[in-house]
Amino acid sequence: MIALSLLAWASPTAALWAQSNEDDTAVSDESKAAPKTQSKAVRFWQAWASMATATQAKQPSWAVPLVSPFPMIAQVYRSDFTRQLTSAGTTTWSYGAGKGFNLIPAPNMQVDIYPPPYFQRNSATASDGWGDVGLLYKYRIAARPEATGNYIVSAQLGVSFPTGQHRNGAKYATVTPTILAGKGFGRRWSVLSSLGGTLPTSQAAAEGRTVHFNSVLEFRAAKLITMELEDNASFFHGGPNDGRLQNFITPGILLGRIKFFPNQPESRTGLVLGAGMQFATSSWHSYDHNVVLSARFAF
């Protein structure tokens, strides 16, 4: 998984850098005499940004959900903050919430790097500390923008490493294969869905496996405002929660992308903000409510 992610990143990166070098050698005598106004790093970034923009133009422009995995290809730095409340009155804050960099290294690809979140608890049985580090590779199988089909299908593979402190993570590394799809109806409505499983790489019988099924209904109320309703279901097989189902309903709102340079059409930089609340709807659940706050810097 790590090798695949590095390869997906390195190949197009090398190509973009080579292109910037070719631009240096394939210039006319007149341009050689003129002073250089852009460095190789600037030209490299411009080529990368153009590639990312062209890649995203081939898919629907739906909002990225608050909780559920999404089939779109995105390039942002994302940091979420959550506050879980249990029926016993204990609360858990997660700073970062397992989010991080979403990068587009090449057309149809996304590579994610997730720094460890930090957990702050008011429970006497657990300590504060850092969580697990994660990586993810996504491949967009097929997509059409709103005007020519309005759908998308992707597949992804996530990996989580047991770096958590004081039980703030898994005991063993896990892999999470997922298939994702979405269909839009006009320019306002869209339905997204994903099906995947979290599989421990060791002691699977004792740790158990979890199947995740997520569905999202989105409504674009205005150019920068999207309302959403998510259903987040987890089915446990084996382990301490064998046979249990946990389900949450998550209403939310997303604002953006608010462009930093609105007068520059080619500029990608902007801010997306989101907020929502998870409500437990299953008879068994590990927490009752969960406040979700999200900030995404698009680049």
Side-chain angles (χ1 to χ4, degrees):
M1 174 60 195
I2 299 175
L4 180 60
S5 299
L6 292 175
L7 180 60
W9 171 267
S11 298
T13 301
L16 291 174
W17 188 262
Q19 180 181 348
S20 67
N21 287 335
E22 290 174 3
D23 292 340
D24 286 341
T25 58
V27 294
S28 64
D29 293 338
E30 181 180 356
S31 62
K32 286 181 181 178
K36 291 184 178 179
T37 59
Q38 292 182 331
S39 66
K40 291 181 181 179
V42 171
R43 291 195 299 276
F44 169 77
W45 169 249
Q46 290 177 340
W48 185 11
S50 296
M51 179 273 298
T53 298
T55 295
Q56 291 182 299
K58 297 178 181 179
Q59 66 185 14
S61 56
W62 305 328
V64 171
L66 283 172
V67 178
S68 300
F70 54 95
M72 300 84 75
I73 300 294
Q75 184 158 284
V76 300
Y77 177 77
R78 176 176 175 179
S79 186
D80 287 7
F81 305 87
T82 66
R83 180 180 181 269
Q84 295 180 358
L85 175 66
T86 69
S87 56
T90 60
T91 60
T92 300
W93 276 97
S94 175
Y95 303 100
K99 308 300 181 183
F101 285 99
N102 301 162
L103 303 171
I104 302 176
N108 298 324
M109 296 183 186
Q110 178 180 312
V111 173
D112 296 355
I113 304 171
Y114 302 136
Y118 186 81
F119 293 95
Q120 183 180 21
R121 307 175 184 271
N122 72 337
S123 171
T125 60
S127 301
D128 301 345
W130 297 98
D132 293 342
V133 172
L135 297 173
L136 183 141
Y137 174 79
K138 181 191 296 183
Y139 184 79
R140 189 177 65 192
I141 300 170
R144 291 291 184 273
E146 284 88 344
T148 60
N150 210 7
Y151 70 87
I152 187 170
V153 179
S154 301
Q156 67 183 35
L157 180 65
V159 179
S160 177
F161 302 96
T163 58
Q165 302 173 312
H166 311 297
R167 303 186 204 177
N168 288 307
K171 293 181 180 179
Y172 306 99
T174 63
V175 295
T176 307
T178 306
I179 187 75
L180 315 98
K183 180 70 176 76
F185 303 91
R187 290 191 172 272
R188 291 190 178 271
W189 294 94
S190 58
V191 177
L192 289 67
S193 189
S194 64
L195 177 64
T198 298
L199 314 174
T201 59
S202 183
Q203 301 294 322
E207 294 300 310
R209 304 173 179 87
T210 307
V211 175
H212 308 282
F213 181 67
N214 296 276
S215 298
V216 186
L217 176 64
E218 290 188 348
F219 173 69
R220 182 171 293 173
K223 181 179 179 180
L224 298 180
I225 300 175
T226 298
M227 313 293 291
E228 67 158 31
L229 182 64
E230 301 186 34
D231 184 84
N232 315 119
S234 298
F235 305 86
F236 299 92
H237 300 273
N241 296 319
D242 184 36
R244 287 176 169 171
L245 161 67
Q246 180 171 242
N247 196 85
F248 294 94
I249 294 294
T250 310
I253 184 171
L254 296 151
L255 176 65
R257 175 171 48 118
I258 306 168
K259 297 188 70 172
F260 291 166
F261 306 101
N263 296 326
Q264 301 178 15
E266 73 283 359
S267 175
R268 295 178 49 83
T269 56
L271 184 66
V272 179
L273 301 174
M277 172 80 82
Q278 281 190 312
F279 298 92
T281 58
S282 54
S283 58
W284 180 87
H285 42 269
S286 56
Y287 54 90
D288 291 341
H289 305 89
N290 185 29
V291 178
V292 183
L293 304 174
S294 182
R296 302 118 183 236
F297 169 67
F299 58 94

